[in-house]
Amino acid sequence: MRKKALEVRNSKKFTHAYCREWRNADRTGRDMKSNLFLLFPTLEEDIQNKRVLEIGSGGGGMVQLFRNSGADVTGVDLFREPMVEGIIKGDFMSVPLKGPYDFIFAFGVFENCAIYSPAGLRRDDFHKEMKKKNPPLKMLKRINELLDEAGQCIFQVYLRPLMFTKEMAEEIGFKIRKISRRLDSDKYGDGTAGEYGITVSPEKYYLMRRK
């Protein structure tokens, strides 16, 4: 059964949720919720007791966050030594992963020129060889193998566009939705956002699911 697409807050509601969370965290001394859970308000509940894969998990901060929310999480990272239980060192294209997964996440991984660059966006020989070995369409096919029929993917980009085009996704049977939300308490100053001066570059995500 195909799962309904995740709810996404618009920029105004995202700003208000962020400012409300900031105020409550400051008052109680607890940590703030991740922006991811503020932007996708049902996600924290949706991943409970679900199988989650994070590609490019780095030091494991998001793996731990998802685990604390009740998910069964696996991380995979090409460069970093695992610092958190449940992370595998290696290329997600070739390491054995026990799918299917209900959710697949990647943050700053599938940007053009980024995934196989050990030093940010540097174009070295290793990067060029790995990109040649694993072109974007091949990566999408691998994600298709790992994702449950009703599963969903969330990819965040920071500097460059997503390397997967709409046409590539459709060829595999996916549809991609681009999501750009801005934290701006000057523009959205009503209610809880009015007392803060927060203006942050847009959060850019792509939500991918089967058609």
Side-chain angles (χ1 to χ4, degrees):
M1 183 177 178
R2 207 154 289 170
K3 187 177 179 63
K4 183 180 178 182
L6 288 168
E7 178 187 348
V8 187
R9 285 187 167 115
N10 61 28
S11 290
K12 181 175 181 177
K13 290 181 178 179
F14 180 38
T15 299
H16 284 198
Y18 181 92
C19 292
R20 184 169 57 248
E21 178 67 15
W22 187 6
R23 184 182 62 185
N24 290 339
D26 181 63
R27 187 179 66 245
T28 62
R30 63 171 174 79
D31 291 336
M32 281 189 63
K33 278 189 178 182
S34 166
N35 280 8
L36 187 69
F37 292 152
L38 297 176
L39 181 60
F40 300 94
T42 67
L43 181 61
E44 189 172 14
E45 181 178 347
D46 288 341
I47 64 174
Q48 290 180 13
N49 302 313
K50 294 295 193 298
R51 302 194 71 229
V52 169
L53 174 67
E54 186 193 2
I55 300 170
S57 48
M62 294 304 291
V63 166
Q64 194 60 55
L65 177 72
F66 295 143
R67 183 170 292 140
N68 291 344
S69 298
D72 177 10
V73 193
T74 299
V76 58
D77 194 272
L78 183 59
F79 302 111
R80 299 279 293 274
E81 291 294 334
M83 300 176 64
V84 172
E85 183 181 352
I87 298 178
I88 302 167
K89 185 178 180 182
D91 186 351
F92 90 100
M93 293 291 292
S94 56
V95 297
L97 294 167
K98 297 179 181 179
Y101 295 95
D102 300 292
F103 289 91
I104 295 178
F105 296 91
F107 304 98
V109 172
F110 294 117
E111 299 182 24
N112 279 327
C113 306
I115 183 170
Y116 291 117
S117 295
L121 301 179
R122 189 179 69 198
R123 290 177 173 271
D124 55 16
D125 291 340
F126 173 79
H127 164 85
K128 292 176 183 178
E129 182 61 30
M130 292 297 284
K131 284 279 295 216
K132 184 178 179 181
K133 177 183 176 183
N134 295 323
L137 190 59
K138 188 176 179 181
M139 293 184 193
L140 268 179
K141 290 178 179 177
R142 173 63 168 158
I143 291 170
N144 185 48
E145 293 171 358
L146 294 169
L147 188 66
D148 185 79
E149 182 65 30
Q152 302 188 63
C153 302
I154 294 179
F155 306 136
Q156 186 177 19
V157 297
Y158 303 118
L159 301 176
R160 296 172 182 264
L162 189 71
M163 63 172 58
F164 308 136
T165 65
K166 179 181 178 181
E167 291 72 25
M168 288 179 193
E170 289 178 345
E171 183 175 335
I172 306 299
F174 287 124
K175 57 182 178 182
I176 290 182
R177 176 187 173 190
K178 183 178 179 180
I179 298 164
S180 181
R181 297 291 186 268
R182 187 176 188 87
L183 285 168
D184 192 339
S185 62
D186 290 333
K187 183 175 181 180
Y188 309 116
D190 295 337
T192 59
E195 60 193 276
Y196 301 101
I198 304 167
T199 302
V200 181
S201 297
E203 302 260 324
K204 297 177 182 178
Y205 292 87
Y206 291 82
L207 181 59
M208 188 171 79
R209 57 196 291 261
R210 289 193 170 86
K211 293 194 289 186

